[in-house]
């Protein structure tokens, strides 16, 4: 399939996935979602299932059941209320779907909610220290209000995928922010969106060679969009720097996407944020002796050595 067709399909499905996430309580029929994608219902269903790996109805059902599980486990809603909110006409149908999805009845989950949530939620978020090599990548310059650079991500991945050069397990999709999201998420962002690795075949796809800075970084794994996560990152960063005797280094922040932003609802996004750091100058507050032993991740994030 040609690159333009792949990019076009990804852009259309991105609009639909975002709409589902933002209107999860609405009537989301196949016809209404196909209209958002500007495709016939038959064509839309085929394209969506091919790219996402499930039908649109599966996505809606999965997101509603996930929300219902959170509500029941945290005590926010009763089983009946959660069933209605998930769009089920009867508690029996809801319980059957819930058990198939999570392997446990909703009533049992209500009793063991905190423990169940603790098992399913990721471990406590915190920084780790990593050393990245300076490397090249190929991609596009991005400027605009979208700090997640969705359009540029679709373009870069679509072109690489059409040429058989996209391997999400072996290549990282990076955003190098020339605007500083830790200072302020304003109206416009400037960033480089690129596939890491000095593969000159990517240049033939109209992608620009981009230099990714190396050095020491504080790395934080975050869920969701940059806009929803950045305040939490700021809250964690300042105590971390004080405790480790480090300071911000004058270099762009890096972000490595660990989910496909075009094909995944924003509630299921995750990424790694790399904040450039260096030893705090002598006489400044904090002790460099408190700096933790850290992993050094290099060249594709597939091997580690000690700092």
């Amino acid at each position: 399939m040609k690159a333009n067709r792949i990019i076009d399909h990804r852009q259309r499905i991105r609009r639909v996935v975002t709409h589902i996430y933002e209107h999860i309580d609405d009537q989301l029929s196949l016809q209404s979602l196909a209209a958002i994608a500007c495709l016939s219902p038959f064509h839309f269903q085929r394209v969506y299932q091919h790219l996402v790996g499930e039908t649109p109805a599966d996505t809606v059902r999965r997101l509603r059941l996930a929300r219902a599980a959170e509500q029941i486990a945290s005590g926010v809603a009763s089983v009946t209320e959660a069933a209605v909110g998930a769009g089920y006409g009867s508690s029996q149908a809801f319980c059957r779907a819930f058990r198939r999805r999570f392997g446990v009845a909703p009533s049992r989950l209500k009793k063991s909610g905190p423990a169940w949530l603790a098992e399913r939620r990721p471990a406590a978020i915190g920084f780790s220290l990593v050393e990245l090599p300076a490397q090249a990548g190929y991609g596009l310059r991005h400027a605009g209000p979208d700090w997640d650079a969705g359009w540029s991500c679709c373009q870069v991945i679509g072109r690489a995928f059409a040429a058989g050069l996209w391997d999400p397990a072996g290549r990282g999709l990076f955003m190098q922010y020339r605007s500083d999201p830790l200072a302020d998420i304003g109206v416009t962002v400037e960033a480089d969106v690129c596939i890491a690795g000095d593969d000159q075949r990517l240049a033939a796809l109209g992608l620009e060679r981009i230099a990714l800075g190396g050095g020491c970084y504080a790395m934080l794994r975050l869920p969701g969009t940059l806009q929803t996560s950045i305040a939490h990152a700021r809250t964690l960063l300042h105590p971390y720097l004080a405790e480790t005797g480090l300071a911000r280094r004058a270099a762009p922040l890096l972000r490595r996407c660990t989910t496909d932003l075009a094909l995944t609802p924003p509630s299921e996004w995750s990424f790694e944020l790399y904040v450039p750091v260096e030893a705090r100058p002598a006489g400044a507050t904090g002790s460099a002796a408190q700096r933790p032993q850290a992993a050094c991740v290099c060249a594709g994030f597939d091997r580690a050595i000690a700092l």
Side-chain angles (χ1 to χ4, degrees):
M1 189 181 291
K2 292 184 178 180
N4 287 343
R5 177 64 62 84
I6 293 173
I7 293 168
D8 177 65
H9 283 175
R10 287 175 60 86
Q11 292 281 21
R12 292 172 188 264
I13 299 307
R14 176 173 173 253
R15 292 202 304 268
V16 172
V17 169
T18 301
H19 180 84
I20 291 173
Y21 165 73
E22 293 177 346
H23 301 85
I24 193 62
D25 290 319
D26 293 354
Q27 292 292 329
L28 299 169
S29 66
L30 178 64
Q31 290 73 18
S32 66
L33 296 178
I36 292 169
C38 298
L39 297 171
S40 71
F42 176 76
H43 191 197
F44 166 68
Q45 177 99 334
R46 289 184 60 192
V47 171
Y48 190 99
Q49 190 161 4
H50 173 70
L51 289 178
V52 180
E54 62 183 6
T55 67
D58 290 336
T59 300
V60 173
R61 189 179 304 112
R62 179 170 55 79
L63 293 179
R64 287 176 176 172
L65 284 173
R67 184 183 62 178
E70 289 275 342
Q71 291 172 338
I72 293 171
S74 59
V76 172
S78 67
V79 173
T80 302
E81 291 168 340
V84 172
Y88 287 84
S90 70
S91 295
Q92 292 81 2
F94 171 71
C95 290
R96 286 195 298 271
F98 194 97
R99 187 186 288 273
R100 283 196 302 270
R101 176 68 184 167
F102 299 109
V104 62
S107 56
R108 187 176 175 185
L109 178 60
K110 193 170 184 65
K111 297 177 182 178
S112 60
W116 186 85
L117 285 174
E119 289 176 1
R120 293 181 62 85
R121 285 175 175 166
I125 297 175
F127 281 99
S128 59
L129 205 60
V130 299
E131 184 81 19
L132 299 183
Q135 58 182 318
Y138 285 86
L140 298 171
R141 306 281 181 179
H142 172 81
D146 181 8
W147 282 78
D148 297 306
W151 184 88
S152 297
C153 290
C154 276
Q155 288 282 331
V156 172
I157 294 177
R159 295 184 197 184
F161 184 87
L165 299 176
W166 173 240
D167 176 14
R171 296 178 183 271
L173 181 71
F174 280 83
M175 299 177 196
Q176 181 170 247
Y177 289 102
R178 286 174 278 122
S179 306
D180 187 357
L182 284 172
D184 180 41
I185 292 189
V187 176
T188 303
V189 58
E190 293 186 358
D192 304 317
V193 179
C194 69
I195 295 172
D198 198 3
D199 188 340
Q200 297 182 13
R201 293 175 297 175
L202 293 168
L205 308 178
L207 300 178
E208 180 182 347
R209 192 175 190 275
I210 293 170
L212 293 171
C216 188
Y217 291 83
M219 186 270 284
L220 178 63
R221 292 184 176 89
L222 291 166
T225 68
L226 184 67
Q227 189 116 22
T228 59
S229 299
I230 200 65
H232 189 42
R234 290 193 196 104
T235 301
L236 291 173
L237 178 63
H238 297 299
Y240 176 82
L241 295 179
E243 291 169 4
T244 55
L246 298 172
R248 284 282 306 273
R249 176 165 54 89
L253 271 72
L254 300 178
R255 172 183 176 182
R256 177 177 178 258
C257 299
T258 53
T259 50
D260 192 324
L261 304 190
L263 309 180
T264 309
S267 59
E268 298 177 339
W269 286 1
S270 63
F271 63 94
E272 296 168 350
L273 187 67
Y274 294 84
V275 182
V277 295
E278 62 186 357
R280 185 171 292 139
T285 306
S287 171
Q290 294 174 301
R291 177 172 169 168
Q293 185 71 15
C296 167
V297 187
C298 299
F301 298 81
D302 56 359
R303 62 188 180 91
I305 57 178
L307 264 176

